[in-house]
C-alpha cells in the first residue's frame, strides 16, 4: 500500500473534520474544515473567496492540518496548497457534500473555489507508546 493510500484509506476519511492551520501575518489561525476526498493523489478542500482563510492561503500557501481517529492516533500533514476551479471536482463536491451544497448552491458560484495538497510531510503519532511514523507523499 502506497503512502497516499495510507493517508486516505487508514487515517483520513472523506468528509472528516480536520483542524487546518494557516498564517495571518505572523499569527497562526486554526479552524475546523471538512476534508472532501483524495482524487488524482491530491487532498481536496473547498472554500469561498470571501473567507479570511482564502486570503491567508493566497498570501502563504503553507498549511498544516491535524486529525485524530477513534483510537487516538493523530495524523498531521504539512505542505503547500494550490487552487483550482476544476468544474468536475466542484460538481462532485456539490453532489457528495450536503453542507457545501447548502452553502454554495451551485458549482457556478463565483466565490466557490477549491484547493488541494499534492505533496506533503506526514507525522503519525500514537498514544500507546508505538513509535511515531513519518513519510512524505
Amino acid at each position: 500500500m502506497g503512502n497516499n493510500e495510507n493517508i486516505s484509506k487508514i487515517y483520513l476519511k472523506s468528509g472528516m473534520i480536520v483542524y487546518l492551520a494557516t498564517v495571518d501575518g505572523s499569527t497562526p489561525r486554526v479552524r475546523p474544515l471538512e476534508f472532501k476526498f483524495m482524487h488524482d493523489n491530491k487532498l481536496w478542500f473547498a472554500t469561498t473567496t470571501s473567507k479570511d482563510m482564502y486570503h491567508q492561503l493566497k498570501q502563504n500557501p503553507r498549511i498544516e492540518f491535524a486529525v485524530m481517529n477513534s483510537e487516538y492516533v493523530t495524523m498531521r500533514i504539512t505542505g503547500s496548497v494550490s487552487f483550482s476551479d476544476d468544474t468536475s471536482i466542484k460538481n462532485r463536491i456539490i453532489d457528495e457534500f450536503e453542507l457545501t451544497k447548502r452553502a454554495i448552491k451551485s458549482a457556478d458560484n463565483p466565490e466557490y473555489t477549491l484547493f488541494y495538497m499534492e505533496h506533503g510531510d506526514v507525522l503519525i503519532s500514537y498514544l500507546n507508546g508505538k513509535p511515531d511514523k513519518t513519510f512524505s507523499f
Side-chain angles (χ1 to χ4, degrees):
M1 184 179 296
N3 287 339
N4 286 5
E5 291 172 347
N6 280 333
I7 293 169
S8 66
K9 299 221 184 306
I10 298 173
Y11 300 104
L12 190 59
K13 306 288 184 194
S14 181
M16 280 183 95
I17 300 300
V18 303
Y19 293 87
L20 186 136
T22 59
V23 178
D24 183 9
S26 62
T27 305
R29 302 286 184 203
V30 178
R31 84 272 298 141
L33 186 68
E34 187 175 50
F35 166 68
K36 300 308 183 187
F37 43 70
M38 179 173 272
H39 178 75
D40 288 340
N41 292 316
K42 299 172 186 172
L43 306 175
W44 287 91
F45 300 88
T47 191
T48 61
T49 58
S50 61
K51 299 270 187 189
D52 289 341
M53 178 180 65
Y54 169 81
H55 298 287
Q56 293 158 8
L57 292 172
K58 285 300 225 180
Q59 288 293 314
N60 182 352
R62 298 274 308 157
I63 66 167
E64 181 170 87
F65 68 89
V67 64
M68 181 183 290
N69 72 13
S70 62
E71 297 170 0
Y72 303 103
V73 176
T74 302
M75 181 175 65
R76 292 183 3 214
I77 300 180
T78 305
S80 292
V81 299
S82 299
F83 284 90
S84 173
D85 284 317
D86 183 311
T87 304
S88 66
I89 300 292
K90 283 183 168 185
N91 283 321
R92 177 178 170 189
I93 290 171
I94 292 283
D95 291 342
E96 293 182 20
F97 296 91
E98 185 60 35
L99 180 62
T100 303
K101 185 176 187 173
R102 284 194 315 243
I104 301 298
K105 310 274 190 272
S106 162
D108 296 330
N109 183 333
E111 288 195 4
Y112 178 33
T113 193
L114 309 174
F115 63 97
Y116 63 87
M117 182 186 291
E118 189 167 13
H119 304 284
D121 298 311
V122 179
L123 170 66
I124 299 173
S125 300
Y126 305 86
L127 291 180
N128 63 4
K130 186 175 174 181
D132 290 350
K133 185 187 311 184
T134 61
F135 58 89
S136 298
F137 68 95

